[in-house]
Every structure is written in C-alpha cells, then in structure tokens.
Amino acid sequence: MNFPSPLLTLRQFAVLLMVSSALHAQTPSTTKPAEDAAKGTAPRSIPKIHADLCSTCHGVNWEGGRAPSMLDDVWAHGSTDADLTRSISEGSPANGMPPFGPLLTSSEIRGLVILIREARVKALGVPPATPPAIADQAVPSELYPLKLEVVAGGLETPWGMAFLPDGRLLVTERPGRLRLVEPGHGIVGTISGVPKPWLKQDGGLFDVAVHPDYAHTGWIYLSYSEPGGTEAGASSTRVIRGRIRDNQLVDQQTLFQAAPELYWNSNIHFGSRFRFDRDGFLYFSIGDRGHRDDAQSLASPYGKLHRIRDDGSIPADNPFVSRADAVKSVYSYGHRNQQGIAQHPVTGEIWTAEHGPRGGDELNVIAKGHNYGWPVITYGMNDDGTPITDLTAKEGMEQPVRYWTPSIATCALEFYTGDKFPRWKNNLFLTALKGNQLIRLELDGHKIAHEEVIFRDLGRVRDVVTGPDGYLYLAINTLFADSPGQIVRLVPARAP
Ligand code: HEC
C-alpha cells in the first residue's frame, strides 16, 4: 500500500480510501482490514508515518499549521489516549481531519499517540543545564513544605539502599562498591569482598536487602550482573547473601544463578530489585535480558518476578513448583524489566514498577502465577519508533494499574510508612529516571486517586526508602559527570 502524498487533499484521500477498501474487500478475513494489509510487510516507522501523513497539516513537530497544534493541551474531541486514538481512526471529515483507521494498524495509531505525547513533553522545555545545588533545596510539595538534606555525597551511581537495625544505611554503588552511611556522618565505611560485577551497559551491582531478623542472622542480600555461561560476552543476574564482619563480606552463599546455557550475550534488563515481604519471603526481579520471548517462557528466569525463602530455597506454595519445565522461583511472568517492588502496608499486596518500551512503562499489582503480558501485549512501541504489537489487552493477561505515555523510566517503589508525614501514610512513592522525578501516588484500591510530582530535574532518583527516623531517603545521581551521587532525605523545610 502506498502512502498518500504529503500534499494530499481530502478529495484525493477519499479516492485512496475507496481503492484501499476495494482491495480489502477481496481478502477473505473479516478482521480489521488494515491489520491484514500490514501483515507480512516490514513494520513501518511511526515517525515516518507522522512525516508522510500528518505533518503537512499538524506541523513537523506537531506545532500546528493548517490543523490544530497537538502541544497546547487544547483538545476538541477529548484528551485521553482513547480519545486521540478515536480522533485519528475516525477523523472528523467535516472539519478536514481524514479518518486514518482504514490506512493504519491499531499499533501504528497507538504509536502516533505516543509521538504526540512525547512531543508535548519536549515542548515543555529542556531541564536547566546546571542542576540546582541539592543541599537545602526547597521542595514545595502539596501537603508539606520540604527541603532536601544531604546525608552522604561522593558516591558513584548509588543504586540500592537498606537500613541496618542500628540506623546505619547500606548503599550499593553500581560499579561494585558497598558502602556504609551514617546519617549525620556521611560515608563511614566500605565493605570489601563484594563480588566484582559485569559492568557493561546496564550491568553492575544492583540492590541490597537486610534480613528481617538481621540482629540474629546477620545476613545481607546483594544482586548483581556477572559474566559466565558458555558464550563469550555472556552475562546474567546473580543473587547472593553474606555477612559483614570487620567491614568484609564473609560467609557468601549463592541463592539464585541462571543455568549456564541461559547466560545471554546482552547487557540490558538485568533487573534487579529486592523486597522482603512480611512473611519473610524475598522477592527479586530479573528483566527479559533483551530476549523478549523469554518473558513468556516459564523455563527461563528472565522477564520474571521471583520469590524465594531467606536461604534461597523455594517456598512450597510458589505457583509453578509442580511444573517440570518451570524455573521454580518464578512468582509472576510476562514482565519487561521491573526495578521497583513494594508491599502494600494494609493489603499485603506486592506492587511493582516496570520499565516498559517507549511509551509503555507500567505500575502493576502482582497476583501469584499471573501473566503480565510482555511482549504479547504492551502500550508501548520500539525505541526506533516501530510498533511491537497491535494488542494492548488479551484474555489471561493482566492490565497495569497505570501506564506512562510518554515513558518516564519508572524505577523504585516504596509505600510511606513513617510517622513524620502523617498525610502521606500508605502513599506509594515512585522514582522516575526520565525527568528525574519523585512521584507520590494516593491509591484507591487498584486505582490511582491522586498523583503529585514532588520534585523533578534534581537528579536521577534510583531508590527511595522510608528511614527509621520517618524521613524519605533517596539515592540520587545527577546526569552531570562532575556532580557525584548522593544520598539525600526529604525533611520539613522549617524545624517543627
Ligand atoms: C488534511 C489535513 C490533516 C491531516 C493530513 C491530518 N490531520 Fe489531524 N486534524 C486535522 C484537522 C483540521 C483537525 C481538527 C478537526 C476538528 O477540530 O474537528 C484535526 C484533528 C486531529 C486530532 C484531534 C485533535 C483534537 O483537538 O481533538 C488528532 C488527534 C489528529 N488530528 C491527529 C492526526 C494524525 C495522527 C494525523 C496523521 C496520521 C493527522 N491528524 C493528519 C487535519 C489533518
């Protein structure tokens, strides 16, 4: 099928529609004609569809021209993704907007909605070239006047944090260091003997967790990427535990490791976040490692949320323990790359944040053994602007609580359980690497009742935890090479 020329008139477009529907009338299938027409052909680039079919009227950057701007938040036919999808599909021919439903697949229309949303964010302007100083940075949030207080500086890409019972904080740095931080004193120690991670691209030392009964057991948990397997350049995610003695990691035990033949020659989507639940089970995530279809295979550990006991053994009630072909630690599947896991303080449900493809970041409530759809269903498209699938929903696959178009690069998740900010009680905090945001979500069951960006553009927030002092602690690293990573906490702007 040819695209109409950019200088298409409505009359030419009408002729084209007639030709195209005549062609489709010959196909025996009664499913959507455009879907059939696109089958077997290479996926078409969404930015090219915009350039060929939309830009003459709506502008090369969607700024408007012969047709309305898509950047001004003014919508004649509704503002939701579903409204935009309908506008593009059905058009409003009487007002000069042709219907594109017969020419484009639903995934192409979905991709155009993503492009429009991305253009809107771009039009808001670029973040300041130099970040504001974080020390004592005022954060005027909706419910509390706050400021950011530096707890420790000089860190290199801090990734995960976990408090020890004595109030000190363990912090991982992605290049492979484990630090001890003491609020008020900064970095007070470095733990030696931590395994050297595989550092390519997304790789590194990831999360740290402290055993729920640390006082008696002394265990801490680490996840990291490591080289291995059978192929040169291959790597995977490994989970270990160990004890800290004289600032050394001793008694190391491996709790999870992939089968050697499953170490992929890919350096993306390793996961890997931890969360101990109230029953003492340890959840950890591993992404799809760039092998999308692995997310749907129970024989692969990738694209999964896993659940193990504190010693690495498999809980008897894990959903796939009796399936011979399954990795027994799998708890839910069909995930792309989850980097946030939290347990709801009241319901006990596990919530996760998932890095989606372009336009498809997700917040999910996890049900044991359920399939979250990747890559069969998704709201996103490929980074290069080509569609992934026409499906956003399917029988037997879970829908997210919310998805983000455009993507915000969702990262860590934490329910606020402290006593310093009572009006935040049980609110869900989410960090986003794009726009460098900290987001607060008020929930109503499985719906988001209210959403607030607490701050943006101060630095990439990799992790958020409630401190024993009731303040929210954040692991931040700015995008500017000379500006080191920091641990900061949100405190009241004025002393109470
Ligand atoms: C021939 C000119 C023309 C082309 C080509 C065109 N549009 Fe439009 N479009 C319009 C006009 C005019 C309107 C306003 C219609 C109205 O207000 O009823 C419109 C409205 C819309 C709206 C609804 C806006 C609102 O305010 O609710 C969307 C979304 C949209 N276009 C997307 C697209 C996309 C995506 C493409 C390319 C696939 C495209 N348009 C191609 C002329 C065009």
Side-chain angles (χ1 to χ4, degrees):
M1 181 190 299
N2 286 320
F3 287 116
S5 95
L7 294 168
L8 170 90
T9 64
L10 263 183
R11 187 184 303 273
Q12 286 169 323
F13 190 86
V15 171
L16 208 142
L17 278 190
M18 281 162 57
V19 173
S20 109
S21 46
L23 277 174
H24 292 130
Q26 296 163 3
T27 55
S29 163
T30 54
T31 55
K32 281 194 206 142
E35 240 99 310
D36 287 344
K39 261 185 203 148
T41 61
R44 297 184 290 194
S45 146
I46 309 297
K48 185 160 187 322
I49 292 175
H50 162 235
D52 290 348
L53 291 184
C54 322
S55 65
T56 40
C57 293
H58 289 288
V60 288
N61 296 310
W62 302 101
E63 72 280 16
R66 291 164 56 196
S69 163
M70 300 276 132
L71 310 177
D72 56 6
D73 287 337
V74 178
W75 301 103
H77 304 284
S79 63
T80 67
D81 286 5
D83 293 331
L84 266 64
T85 302
R86 198 187 47 248
S87 291
I88 299 167
S89 180
E90 296 169 13
S92 46
N95 296 328
M97 168 67 187
F100 287 94
L103 285 180
L104 302 173
T105 64
S106 52
S107 64
E108 288 167 341
I109 293 175
R110 171 88 207 122
L112 287 165
V113 174
I114 295 172
L115 277 198
I116 291 170
R117 300 300 194 194
E118 289 177 351
R120 166 75 183 121
V121 169
K122 224 181 271 166
L124 287 173
V126 286
T130 12
I134 278 182
D136 296 323
Q137 172 72 33
V139 179
S141 76
E142 286 174 6
L143 300 180
Y144 299 101
L146 304 165
K147 65 176 181 182
L148 283 176
E149 195 175 88
V150 175
V151 175
L155 293 156
E156 192 176 351
T157 319
W159 210 100
M161 295 182 287
F163 277 95
L164 292 166
D166 65 7
R168 288 182 304 167
L169 181 64
L170 286 166
V171 179
T172 56
E173 289 175 278
R174 202 168 67 92
R177 281 182 296 271
L178 179 61
R179 305 283 210 171
L180 262 177
V181 164
E182 199 173 322
H185 298 94
I187 298 173
V188 294
T190 302
I191 311 302
S192 63
V194 171
K196 200 168 135 41
W198 172 256
L199 269 182
K200 291 237 164 81
Q201 212 171 336
D202 293 357
L205 178 60
F206 305 125
D207 210 4
V208 54
V210 169
H211 192 283
D213 190 16
Y214 178 84
H216 290 106
T217 66
W219 292 117
I220 66 150
Y221 296 74
L222 293 172
S223 59
Y224 61 98
S225 53
E226 62 165 8
T230 47
E231 203 187 328
S235 58
S236 183
T237 304
R238 179 155 162 174
V239 174
I240 63 164
R241 69 174 180 178
R243 294 188 171 99
I244 297 172
R245 197 174 300 138
D246 302 328
N247 278 358
Q248 277 214 31
L249 191 68
V250 299
D251 302 340
Q252 290 181 32
Q253 300 173 349
T254 294
L255 305 190
F256 173 85
Q257 205 173 9
E261 65 276 16
L262 293 180
Y263 279 59
W264 295 140
N265 200 338
S266 142
N267 298 308
I268 58 171
H269 304 173
F270 291 100
S272 171
R273 192 63 74 180
F274 286 137
R275 176 70 64 176
F276 267 108
D277 74 1
R278 298 193 296 229
D279 300 319
F281 293 120
L282 179 64
Y283 292 81
F284 64 92
S285 56
I286 308 185
D288 70 5
R289 306 297 334 288
H291 285 229
R292 291 177 175 179
D293 294 339
D294 277 24
Q296 288 295 321
S297 162
L298 293 174
S300 164
Y302 304 133
K304 308 294 185 312
L305 183 67
H306 296 260
R307 183 174 80 149
I308 56 177
R309 292 166 65 188
D310 65 337
D311 62 356
S313 61
I314 305 297
D317 65 339
N318 262 16
F320 304 112
V321 281
S322 54
R323 278 192 51 161
D325 61 335
V327 174
K328 306 290 186 271
S329 53
V330 170
Y331 191 76
S332 63
Y333 65 109
H335 300 290
R336 186 170 176 274
N337 196 26
Q338 301 167 106
Q339 291 192 334
I341 310 176
Q343 183 174 35
H344 194 290
V346 179
T347 67
E349 289 163 321
I350 299 293
W351 290 60
T352 69
E354 179 166 331
H355 279 282
R358 183 170 170 183
D361 288 341
E362 295 183 0
L363 178 67
N364 286 306
V365 184
I366 300 300
K368 178 158 80 173
H370 285 213
N371 182 353
Y372 287 76
W374 174 254
V376 181
I377 59 171
T378 175
Y379 287 90
M381 64 178 174
N382 289 310
D383 282 341
D384 67 2
T386 54
I388 295 169
T389 163
D390 281 322
L391 300 179
T392 53
K394 196 176 178 184
E395 185 73 32
M397 296 183 182
E398 299 302 319
Q399 283 293 302
V401 169
R402 188 198 192 302
Y403 65 87
W404 278 268
T405 304
S407 293
I408 56 170
T410 50
C411 194
L413 266 189
E414 171 86 339
F415 283 98
Y416 178 73
T417 51
D419 55 6
K420 289 289 196 302
F421 305 110
R423 296 171 75 190
W424 283 357
K425 196 173 170 60
N426 299 340
N427 285 181
L428 184 56
F429 284 82
L430 166 71
T431 75
L433 301 181
K434 263 188 214 142
N436 307 310
Q437 313 173 54
L438 177 68
I439 297 166
R440 181 179 67 91
L441 303 169
E442 289 174 21
L443 303 178
D444 176 10
H446 290 178
K447 289 210 163 59
I448 294 171
H450 181 65
E451 197 166 322
E452 176 193 8
V453 175
I454 299 273
F455 64 75
R456 57 159 62 240
D457 293 334
L458 292 177
R460 295 190 120 178
V461 194
R462 285 267 176 202
D463 202 8
V464 50
V465 302
T466 312
D469 53 9
Y471 295 126
L472 264 190
Y473 282 71
L474 306 161
I476 290 190
N477 71 293
T478 62
L479 300 172
F480 309 94
D482 54 348
S483 185
Q486 291 171 317
I487 305 302
V488 301
R489 63 182 172 194
L490 273 174
V491 299
R494 292 176 295 275

